[in-house]
Each structure stands twice: as C-alpha cells, then as structure tokens.
Amino acid sequence: MTARTRRTAAKRREHLWCYVLLLPLLVAFGGFTLWPIVASWWYSLFDWDGVGNPTEWVGLANFVEVLTAPDFWRAFWHTFLFSLVAILIELPLALAFAILLNNARLRGRNLYRLALFVPVVTTTAVVGIVFVALLDPVRGAVNEILLAVGLVDAPINFLGSTTTALPTLMGIDLWKGFGISLIYWLAALQTVPKDLIEAAQLDGARRASIVRHIMVPVMAPIAIVIMLLLFQRSLGTFDLVQAMTAGGPVYSTDVVPTYIYRYAFSPEMQAPRYGFACAAGVVFGLLTLVLTLLQAPALRYRKRVAV
C-alpha cells in the first residue's frame, strides 16, 4: 500500500465518523419531515378515514373538492389576515418600541424588555385558557372592568360573536408574538454604527431625522428578513385559535391548520376524512410556497442593498 493510498484511507475513516454522527439527525429528518410530506401526498389520493390501509383510490378528487370548497378559502383568508396584521401592525409597532428601549438613558429598560418578552415563552395553550376566562361575557374580568368604568352598557361576547372573535384572536396573537419581533429589531439596531448617530447629533439632527435617514436605511436588509420570518410564522397560526375558539363561532375564526385538523382528527366530524385533510394540507403548502416565491423581489433587494 502506497503512502497516498494510506492517506486516502485515513481520510475516509475520519470522514466516516462524521457520517456516523450525522446519521441520527438524518434519520430524524427523514422520519419526521420527509416521510410526512411524501405520505401526505400519497394519502391525499385516497378516500381514507385514517384507519387501516388506504384502499379507495380517488385520484385528484380530494384536490378538486378542496379547491372548490368555500370554507377552505375562507380559512385561508383568515390565515392571510393574521400575516397582514403581523406585518402591518406588529412589525412597525415593535420597531418603535425597540428604538425606545434601545435608549441607554431609559431607566428600567431591561425590565420593560423582559415584560414584553414573557408572553413569547408562555405556553400558547395556557395563554388561550387564561384569555378565555378573562374575556368571558358573564364572569370575565375584562367585561367587569369595562362595565365598571362605563365604557360599555352590556357585556361584550368577544369570542362568541362572529364580528368580534377574529379581531380578538388577532390582537392576542399580536400581543403574544410581539416580544420576538422586538428582539429582532433590538438585534438589528445593534448593527447601526454609533459614530454615524453621534455625528448626526453633533450636526444638530433631530431624533426623527436620525431614524429616517440613518437607522432605517442601515437596517433595511435585516428588516426584510424580519418581515419574512413574521409572515411565515403567522401562516402557521394554530394553537391559539384551537385553544380559544377551535375555529368558531360558525367557523368565523377558522384558519387552514384548524380546518385541516377538524377533518383529520376532530370528533366533531363523525367520520374523519384523513385523505381530504392531507389534500388540504398539500394545497396549503403549495399556496404557501407561491406566497414565499412572491417575496423573491424583496430578497433580491436585500442582497443588492447588502452588497
């Protein structure tokens, strides 16, 4: 065996350990990510209740039913609204708070940051149960306070009305995710060169001008990433809606994940339609992919600005 052959064999043995260490991760990724995706595509071609082996082949019938179901598109619109609220309200509001809390002269700013971040680490199911109790029209603390200060004449059924249920859920979702957006912005603010701000202050620039002409342009590439992260997170809203309304009343708060869950697992359906739920999941995945591709111009702008 030549010296070159021995070196090659030694490198292979060294790399073999890398593959061995990666093997558990690859198995987990294949079992919990790739296989569910492939299985969903396969099961979506059957009229199947999830019990036993699927045998009744229906081809693309489930997809046709999903695409022509008004309830699915209504749930998709509600899901999209959650994303719009996150981008149009949560994003700029979190930026304003981040600029305020980034001021080193503000007393107790770490305490304020902690208070705003606590909802992020709180279990969503617990948040849902607590808010259901607080918003109860009969004994809820919120209605009692509103009645006591005279803001309303009668209790408001926040979660029981088709008019108020969805805005209420959006508000709570915004409150719960606000902390993570704040952290993103605080991290982005650290990228703004302090010497630029100090130079602007020496030239007499006002705070608003510094934000507009220095902070915003410098943070623009990071802002696009934050926007994309918020958008993707909002499309997956499920646990809060399921814990508080389960899509009701009259499906007025239904989002696509709760729609899929109802057809696949909910006892509300007398006969689960697992194949139909898989088809709805596949369609939702493809729509999400299209929405993500529509954001490509923003990513190209980010790369151009970063260069």
Side-chain angles (χ1 to χ4, degrees):
M1 180 180 293
T2 63
R4 183 176 181 180
T5 305
R6 285 196 296 272
R7 285 197 299 271
T8 304
K11 284 185 177 178
R12 286 178 178 174
R13 284 195 297 271
E14 181 183 352
H15 292 165
L16 180 63
W17 279 109
C18 297
Y19 293 122
V20 170
L21 293 175
L22 284 175
L23 188 59
L25 178 63
L26 293 175
V27 172
F29 180 74
F32 294 101
T33 302
L34 289 182
W35 168 245
I37 294 175
V38 175
S40 295
W41 278 89
W42 176 246
Y43 293 146
S44 65
L45 303 174
F46 292 88
D47 184 11
W48 184 41
D49 61 1
V51 179
N53 294 321
T55 56
E56 191 172 345
W57 175 272
V58 294
L60 299 178
N62 284 330
F63 291 97
V64 174
E65 186 176 350
V66 169
L67 293 173
T68 56
D71 289 347
F72 173 81
W73 291 110
R74 180 175 57 183
F76 181 78
W77 171 242
H78 293 162
T79 306
F80 190 66
L81 283 179
F82 272 92
S83 297
L84 287 182
V85 168
I87 292 174
L88 300 180
I89 299 178
E90 182 179 329
L91 198 65
L93 194 61
L95 174 61
F97 271 80
I99 294 173
L100 179 65
L101 296 178
N102 196 48
N103 188 349
R105 289 177 295 182
L106 179 65
R107 286 187 174 183
R109 61 175 184 159
N110 289 333
L111 183 62
Y112 300 141
R113 293 178 181 181
L114 177 64
L116 291 171
F117 190 73
V118 165
V120 176
V121 297
T122 306
T123 306
T124 307
V126 174
V127 170
I129 293 171
V130 170
F131 269 99
V132 167
L134 290 175
L135 298 174
D136 188 280
V138 180
R139 293 169 294 181
V142 173
N143 271 305
E144 290 184 357
I145 293 173
L146 292 176
L147 289 170
V149 299
L151 289 178
V152 296
D153 297 327
I156 300 175
N157 193 356
F158 288 99
L159 300 175
S161 167
T162 56
T163 304
T164 58
L166 187 61
T168 301
L169 285 179
M170 289 179 177
I172 297 171
D173 183 67
L174 188 153
W175 168 79
K176 189 177 186 315
F178 187 81
I180 194 66
S181 302
L182 179 69
I183 294 299
Y184 290 155
W185 281 124
L186 286 172
L189 285 170
Q190 307 311 311
T191 64
V192 180
K194 292 182 179 177
D195 53 346
L196 281 180
I197 298 177
E198 292 172 354
Q201 290 173 337
L202 288 175
D203 290 340
R206 294 183 178 181
R207 185 69 176 171
S209 297
I210 294 175
V211 171
R212 179 182 176 185
H213 297 293
I214 297 179
M215 290 185 174
V216 171
V218 171
M219 294 191 302
I222 304 176
I224 293 173
V225 175
I226 297 174
M227 183 186 69
L228 297 180
L229 290 174
L230 274 183
F231 186 75
Q232 293 300 322
R233 187 202 73 194
S234 302
L235 286 178
T237 300
F238 168 72
D239 39 10
L240 184 67
V241 177
Q242 185 64 28
M244 298 190 67
T245 63
V250 201
Y251 305 132
S252 61
T253 61
D254 209 14
V255 290
V256 176
T258 56
Y259 178 88
I260 295 172
Y261 174 84
R262 184 167 60 254
Y263 277 95
F265 306 111
S266 175
E268 177 185 340
M269 306 295 293
Q270 294 181 351
R273 299 185 61 194
Y274 200 81
F276 177 78
C278 287
V282 171
V283 172
F284 182 52
L286 293 176
L287 291 173
T288 303
L289 179 62
V290 171
L291 291 175
T292 303
L293 293 177
L294 291 177
Q295 298 163 8
L299 290 174
R300 283 198 294 270
Y301 171 77
R302 173 184 173 272
K303 289 182 179 179
R304 190 166 61 247
V305 172
V307 171

